[in-house]
Amino acid sequence: MTERVTADMWFDPLCPWAWITSRWLLEVEQVRDVDIRFHVMSLSVLNDGRELPEDYRDLMRDGWGPVRVCIAVEQAHGAEALAKLYTAMGTRIHLGKEGLGRDMLVGALTEVGLDPALADAAESTQYDEALRASHEAGMRPVGTDVGTPVVHAPGPDGRQVAFFGPVITPAPKGEAAGRLWDGVLLVAGTPGFYELKRTREQDPIFD
């Protein structure tokens, strides 16, 4: 039997494309010998100090809260609690359109059985050092000219590969998810391979 391996994904809860990729990876977990482990990156950290359009600058300001809460939960309760919180947050943000504020945070924390007072982390810099360290761990192998999702996984020869993406919509299900995983690992594991891209013509589909 094939030994199960672990693949790691770095997400920011506000990113709809990362959300879709995360749901695809959970499908992959069911059809391939892969366990998915989630980690926090931050688009607010990535864009800190950059010149941004006003509307995106406002989004980056609001984006600090959810990732701080994610780090607080990971530190207090571990990776499994973080994964559950991400699902609760993502469902509320992307399907429920609840925004990034305290009501969403308290609702998500309560839904997964965590202390709603952890939402206070959104307004604190206490977790920023750990947030930046988690962000750096995810981004270091892929560089800073990409965002989220970022995935680290064992390639076809067993050596670790890291890549941005895939950016997909909607998330493939079942064996289709597995085939995409196989293909992504194949190209990511090819020395010198950097980019495969086409114009995105669809908005995120959250099926």
Side-chain angles (χ1 to χ4, degrees), residues 55 57 61 74 87 94 96 112:
D55 57 344
R57 186 168 64 247
R61 180 197 63 220
E74 183 180 35
T87 290
H94 303 298
V112 298

Side-chain angles (χ1 to χ4, degrees), residues 20-182:
I20 294 171
T21 298
S22 73
R23 300 310 95 178
W24 162 67
L25 287 172
L26 293 178
E27 286 286 319
V28 171
E29 198 174 43
Q30 303 305 309
V31 296
R32 295 294 186 269
D33 292 320
V34 181
D35 293 316
I36 305 302
R37 186 167 52 191
F38 291 107
H39 307 269
V40 186
M41 65 84 68
S42 171
L43 292 170
S44 299
V45 169
L46 184 68
N47 288 288
D48 196 15
R50 294 181 178 180
E51 290 293 327
L52 303 170
E54 183 177 356
D55 57 344
Y56 197 69
R57 186 168 64 247
D58 291 344
L59 179 64
M60 294 300 97
R61 180 197 63 220
D62 295 341
W64 284 98
V67 290
R68 285 168 169 165
V69 172
C70 284
I71 290 291
V73 166
E74 183 180 35
Q75 288 194 348
H77 299 286
E80 185 176 346
L82 173 63
K84 291 178 180 178
L85 180 65
Y86 180 33
T87 290
M89 277 189 178
T91 300
R92 290 170 178 271
I93 294 168
H94 303 298
L95 281 70
K97 308 300 181 185
E98 294 186 21
L100 304 176
R102 185 175 180 86
D103 288 348
M104 182 279 294
L105 296 170
V106 168
L109 287 163
T110 302
E111 178 183 331
V112 298
L114 297 173
D115 185 353
L118 284 162
D120 293 346
E123 304 300 327
S124 171
T125 59
Q126 176 183 350
Y127 297 96
D128 285 7
E129 183 177 352
L131 171 61
R132 290 179 182 276
S134 179
H135 174 91
E136 170 66 15
M139 301 304 291
R140 189 183 307 115
V142 294
T144 58
D145 60 346
V146 300
T148 180
V150 165
V151 176
H152 301 185
D157 62 359
R159 290 184 296 178
Q160 195 80 352
V161 295
F163 50 89
F164 164 74
V167 175
I168 47 176
T169 193
K173 304 293 195 299
E175 183 56 25
R179 289 195 301 270
L180 177 58
W181 175 254
D182 298 339

